[in-house]
Amino acid sequence: MAYVSFDGLVKRFQGQIYQTRKGRLRMHLIDALYNQYLPLEQLRNIRVLDAAGGLGQMSHWFLAHEAIVDYFDISAEMVTSVSEVLSDYQQAGRFSASQQSIIDFQPQRLYPFVNVHAVLEWLDSPYETLQQILQWVEPGGYLGLMVYNRNMLMLRHLMRGTLARAMSGNIGGDKKGLTPVSPLDPLEVRQQLIASDFDILTQAGIRSFSDLAEKTVIDWYDEAEVFDAEYKLCEQRPFCDMARYVLFIARRL
């Protein structure tokens, strides 16, 4: 099974995704939804798995809530960067980092919380790996799963004049840039979670409208206004099915 590593793309990844208004909005929405649906009082001293955790934003989020975090990523550059940033937690025994592929990862334990954000869409066979991931959550534990939405990518192709490509169904990236190779259908993800005995606490859209608007239009608003609108719409249909990313927070029965 093939996958994409971001070695060589780390600085571009940081600049285009996290050091932008889009990146701040993404993290702000995740923070709000996790605060809404997770039992935060139970995070203290529990062990969280941040699988294929990239630049470690979610590892830092969980550490700030006093959890203990096991992090891994396939990119050696990512692992080095995150280890440097979170070195104090590492020295205190509250954070571990390793270079591993999510495809080959074999957990030594089941986890009360597994976090998997923006990973599956970079695999050639994402649903096969999803089935593995679901087994890493202990009964009664939680899964935070965010996927790149095929519906949004399809709509963008239709809006931007690449009609033939959109209708062919071949809309994934080419493994050379930042467009995922296997965007996912949120309905299919939802069905797999339910079939695997997960109770879906929420299905929320992350950036439901702001990625579709022209930049000049979004620039009319301040970030707080955009966040407030996105947050109000993110769990409503059809918006949660059309967002750039779809976040599932689910509990294993």
Side-chain angles (χ1 to χ4, degrees):
M1 188 190 303
Y3 53 83
V4 175
S5 168
F6 285 104
D7 275 335
L9 289 175
V10 172
K11 291 191 181 299
R12 182 179 174 194
F13 197 75
Q14 289 173 318
Q16 293 191 15
I17 295 181
Y18 292 113
Q19 296 175 6
T20 64
R21 178 166 50 188
K22 288 183 178 182
R24 291 189 294 272
L25 178 58
R26 167 173 157 174
M27 287 303 301
H28 198 174
L29 287 165
I30 292 168
D31 174 69
L33 290 161
Y34 272 23
N35 274 279
Q36 181 177 349
Y37 286 101
L38 295 184
L40 298 182
E41 70 283 355
Q42 297 178 24
L43 287 180
R44 186 176 185 183
N45 294 326
I46 73 160
R47 190 168 291 272
V48 171
L49 177 64
D50 191 9
L55 290 169
Q57 282 85 358
M58 292 309 302
S59 286
H60 192 275
W61 189 93
F62 282 105
L63 289 166
H65 286 82
E66 301 186 79
I68 301 167
V69 178
D70 293 335
Y71 157 98
F72 73 83
D73 197 90
I74 187 60
S75 166
E77 291 182 28
M78 293 280 193
V79 174
T80 298
S81 175
V82 173
S83 296
E84 291 173 353
V85 171
L86 299 178
S87 60
D88 288 347
Y89 291 102
Q90 202 161 20
Q91 291 171 14
R94 302 192 66 83
F95 175 74
S96 67
S98 61
Q99 183 187 1
Q100 299 189 61
S101 163
I102 197 168
I103 297 169
D104 302 322
F105 179 71
Q106 297 291 330
Q108 300 303 306
R109 59 172 62 84
L110 298 184
Y111 286 86
F113 195 96
V114 174
N115 191 80
V116 187
H117 283 187
V119 177
L120 293 179
E121 56 264 28
W122 297 102
L123 308 178
D124 283 343
S125 301
Y127 295 108
E128 181 178 329
T129 299
L130 175 58
Q131 287 303 309
Q132 297 173 9
I133 291 167
L134 298 180
Q135 302 307 310
W136 302 345
V137 183
E138 68 180 29
Y142 292 82
L143 172 70
L145 176 69
M146 188 170 73
V147 299
Y148 192 93
N149 186 5
R150 183 176 180 84
N151 294 335
M152 167 67 94
L153 187 57
M154 177 78 167
L155 184 58
R156 285 179 68 84
H157 276 291
L158 292 170
M159 294 173 64
R160 293 188 170 187
T162 49
L163 178 65
R165 184 174 179 188
M167 300 310 294
S168 75
N170 181 27
I171 59 175
D174 59 5
K175 300 184 181 182
K176 296 179 181 178
L178 296 181
T179 299
V181 299
S182 300
L184 283 84
D185 181 344
L187 178 59
E188 188 165 354
V189 174
R190 183 180 184 89
Q191 290 172 339
Q192 289 205 18
L193 290 174
I194 294 171
S196 297
D197 293 327
F198 278 79
D199 178 27
I200 298 174
L201 305 181
T202 189
Q203 174 185 333
I206 304 299
R207 303 203 308 260
S208 297
F209 70 88
S210 54
D211 279 15
L212 289 173
E214 294 292 336
K215 184 178 183 300
T216 53
V217 173
I218 289 298
D219 285 344
W220 293 345
Y221 313 114
D222 63 34
E223 289 189 27
E225 289 179 303
V226 176
F227 167 76
D228 286 345
E230 288 278 11
Y231 189 48
K232 288 175 182 176
L233 295 173
C234 70
E235 295 177 280
Q236 299 180 33
R237 284 199 162 86
F239 307 105
C240 66
D241 295 316
M242 298 305 299
R244 172 74 74 175
Y245 293 92
V246 178
L247 174 66
F248 295 90
I249 302 175
R251 188 169 184 263
R252 188 175 185 182
L253 300 176

